[in-house]
Amino acid sequence: MKRTVFRGAGAALALVLALVWAFPVYWMVNSSFLSPATISKLEPTWVPFGGNLSNYRAVLADNAFTSALGMSLVVTTICLVLCLVYALLASFAIGRFRFKGRKSFVLAIIVVQMLPAEAMFIAQYKMLAGANLLNSVIGVSVIYLAMVVPFTTWMLRGFVAGIPVDLEEAAMIDGCTRMGAFRRVTFPLLAPGLVASGVFAFLQVWNEFALASIILTESQKATLPLWLRDFAQSSNLGVTEWGEVMAGSVLVAIPVIVFFMIVQGRMAQGLVGGAVKG
């Protein structure tokens, strides 16, 4: 009886927390269909009956949105692919080989994650300015890549450590080279870990704002978070059009939702598989 009561109370608490967490998302989507007059009323509108798509049309009519969307997609794709390649090779090296300085390398990865990102902004800006890479895809991709590789490597290391070395040795006994054993045995088993790590890297790059606002100062080279800031500040007569801002926020979130829908099965498997490995 007590167990049933505790389970019911736990389920009710979880439901309340889920509703609290989901309410801002619901309010963003709801407001994106409302007119400025409806949003400005003191009485909130909980369901957008009678709403329209005018806010979305206003966002899509902004040429800067298309440019920012392309910039974010290109930068995120480059960083995600290169990050997974570098992190996979690094995690495999520290998870399978015993070499001098291995522990120091792992410690360095942890220390890098402890450093506040803002402390390196000036050095990063001067480095890109000296290489003439400000307001460029290459420049921002290099900085983002350096930002996400350490954590991704640390996360993948747990998945590599969770795969028995005996599987690779058995494949090499059967005639595979070390690279062949990695490609045919280890890599398929690492797929859930790659997906789970890639999701975190994707979110970090896609939503990054502070560093982008320093590196990308030209409006033609803005990413979506920068575009959303400028779009909110460019409202008529100094009054923010919250319906259009909410519509823009929804459109910015759609690629993330699509990405999650594609990889959700592998991501859940990867998070559970690597939760207790290390």
Side-chain angles (χ1 to χ4, degrees):
M1 188 66 180
K2 290 183 178 180
R3 291 183 179 179
T4 304
V5 172
F6 283 129
R7 288 178 180 176
L13 179 61
L15 179 61
V16 171
L17 293 177
L19 292 175
V20 171
W21 173 86
F23 180 78
V25 179
Y26 160 75
W27 194 252
M28 176 182 69
V29 177
N30 175 68
S31 301
S32 67
F33 293 101
L34 302 178
S35 64
T38 305
I39 294 178
S40 61
K41 289 182 179 179
L42 294 179
E43 182 180 354
T45 302
W46 300 104
V47 181
F49 290 137
N52 52 62
L53 299 175
S54 60
N55 295 324
Y56 289 94
R57 286 194 289 266
V59 172
L60 295 175
D62 188 0
N63 294 329
F65 171 77
T66 306
S67 175
L69 177 61
M71 184 73 172
S72 289
L73 288 175
V74 171
V75 171
T76 303
T77 302
I78 292 175
C79 290
L80 185 60
V81 173
L82 294 180
C83 173
L84 291 179
V85 172
Y86 292 154
L88 177 61
L89 296 177
S91 61
F92 189 79
I94 61 179
R96 283 289 186 266
F97 302 105
R98 299 295 182 266
F99 54 89
K100 187 176 181 180
R102 173 177 170 271
K103 293 184 178 180
S104 300
F105 180 73
V106 175
L107 181 62
I109 294 177
I110 301 176
V111 171
V112 168
Q113 293 301 303
M114 296 172 62
L115 295 176
E118 293 78 6
M120 297 180 287
F121 281 0
I122 297 177
Q124 291 170 339
Y125 179 86
K126 289 186 175 181
M127 180 184 68
L128 293 182
N132 198 25
L133 290 177
L134 293 175
N135 297 300
S136 67
V137 173
I138 296 177
V140 71
S141 298
V142 169
I143 296 298
Y144 283 0
L145 187 62
M147 177 179 64
V148 298
V149 163
F151 176 77
T152 308
T153 301
W154 176 256
M155 188 171 182
L156 277 176
R157 173 181 171 271
F159 292 99
V160 173
I163 298 176
V165 183
D166 298 343
L167 296 178
E168 298 175 15
E169 294 177 348
M172 287 188 286
I173 292 175
D174 289 339
C176 287
T177 61
R178 178 173 287 277
M179 182 58 67
F182 171 78
R183 180 171 57 86
R184 297 184 180 185
V185 178
T186 308
F187 185 76
L189 295 176
L190 280 176
L194 286 172
V195 171
S197 304
V199 167
F200 285 100
F202 176 86
L203 290 176
Q204 194 171 0
V205 173
W206 184 265
N207 296 323
E208 210 289 321
F209 173 79
L211 185 56
S213 63
I214 298 175
I215 298 175
L216 304 175
T217 56
E218 297 180 2
S219 58
Q220 298 84 356
K221 299 295 184 179
T223 55
L224 282 176
L226 298 181
W227 165 84
L228 190 60
R229 176 203 60 187
D230 297 337
F231 185 74
Q233 295 176 350
S234 63
S235 302
N236 297 327
L237 302 177
V239 178
T240 302
E241 298 287 350
W242 288 112
E244 297 179 2
V245 173
M246 293 300 177
S249 301
V250 172
L251 293 176
V252 171
I254 286 178
V256 179
I257 297 174
V258 172
F259 184 73
F260 263 81
M261 292 178 64
I262 295 174
V263 303
Q264 61 177 343
R266 286 284 188 175
M267 181 183 177
Q269 182 181 355
L271 289 176
V272 173
V276 295
K277 309 295 183 183

